[in-house]
Amino acid sequence: MAVFLGNIRYVAWTALAIAVLLLIYFAVGVGGFGFGDSIYWEAVLRWSHVLVGIMWIGHLYYFNFTQIPNMPKIPDEQKPAVTKVIAPAALYWFRWGAMLTLITGILLSWNQGYLLQAYTLGAVEEFGVPKHILIGIGMWLATIMWFNVWFINWPNQQKALNIDNKYPDLEPAAKAAAGKTAMLFSRTNTFLSAPMLVAMTGASTLF
């Protein structure tokens, strides 16, 4: 057991396999739904959306509540362990978690038939439907957060940390400015995350 738990690949792939089997068993074996049924794919997409969403928001909160506040407490000679090893790895899972969360969310809303209603806040049909407005707010906030991750935070982190040695000759002042920009937009996403999650969960439970 120690060998199994000591290898994250074993743990992750086995957990995913069990999760898929559990989903198939209860959806098909117990619920009687076919693989072509919309409700089956709703279950698949909802589970996938939550799973990758945890990966995204979990890393967002790690950066803002753990790494950034504690970096000043780390001696300068030890900081490269974070900036050169931990942070680039965390940013990988962070940005791809964001990408997959957006994709699965769009696919889920398309599966449920409210993609356009949500993104237009109900304007394409009957305007003012509370569920469409609330889920639409959540989807727009998530889309803004995704944009911040990929087109503002990530490019600036690459400069600040010289990830993959893309900016070896960047001046210290430019690196510091890029790091501050990345931090501010990361804080913006942290700010947006709470109302976004209220909109996402509320639309599924209140209406």
Side-chain angles (χ1 to χ4, degrees):
M1 183 59 72
V3 173
F4 171 76
L5 294 176
N7 189 315
I8 187 58
R9 289 184 175 85
Y10 293 164
V11 173
W13 285 112
T14 304
L16 286 173
I18 293 174
V20 170
L21 291 174
L22 193 66
L23 177 61
I24 292 173
Y25 172 74
F26 278 93
V28 180
V30 178
F33 301 107
F35 291 115
D37 291 342
S38 176
I39 196 168
Y40 171 79
W41 287 105
E42 177 190 354
V44 171
L45 290 168
R46 195 174 297 280
W47 166 68
S48 303
H49 186 56
V50 171
L51 182 68
V52 294
I54 291 172
M55 179 67 74
W56 176 17
I57 302 302
H59 278 84
L60 174 67
Y61 289 170
Y62 159 74
F63 284 124
N64 283 275
F65 293 106
T66 303
Q67 181 174 301
I68 295 173
N70 287 287
M71 281 297 289
K73 304 174 186 177
I74 301 175
D76 288 343
E77 66 273 13
Q78 297 177 9
K79 286 181 179 178
V82 177
T83 59
K84 299 299 183 183
V85 180
I86 295 175
L91 285 166
Y92 173 86
W93 294 105
F94 171 63
R95 71 181 188 275
W96 284 108
M99 179 66 76
L100 291 174
T101 300
L102 183 74
I103 291 172
T104 54
I106 289 174
L107 290 175
L108 178 60
S109 63
W110 174 75
N111 171 271
Q112 293 296 287
Y114 60 74
L115 177 60
L116 291 179
Q117 292 90 332
Y119 268 127
T120 61
L121 303 180
V124 296
E125 290 184 355
E126 179 185 354
F127 185 75
V129 177
K131 179 174 182 176
H132 293 161
I133 292 176
L134 188 57
I135 193 64
I137 290 172
M139 290 176 66
W140 271 113
L141 289 176
T143 303
I144 292 168
M145 292 169 63
W146 165 84
F147 182 90
N148 287 345
V149 167
W150 274 90
F151 299 103
I152 301 176
N153 187 281
W154 172 235
N156 279 285
Q157 289 285 16
Q158 287 180 298
K159 294 178 182 178
L161 302 179
N162 189 26
I163 296 175
D164 296 328
N165 202 35
K166 289 189 66 175
Y167 300 95
D169 302 320
L170 199 63
E171 294 294 326
K175 288 185 177 182
K180 184 175 182 179
T181 298
M183 183 274 290
L184 292 175
F185 276 88
S186 185
R187 288 285 164 81
T188 299
N189 276 7
T190 301
F191 174 79
L192 295 177
S193 67
M196 180 272 291
L197 288 170
V198 166
M200 293 293 188
T201 58
S204 298
T205 56
L206 299 177
F207 306 103

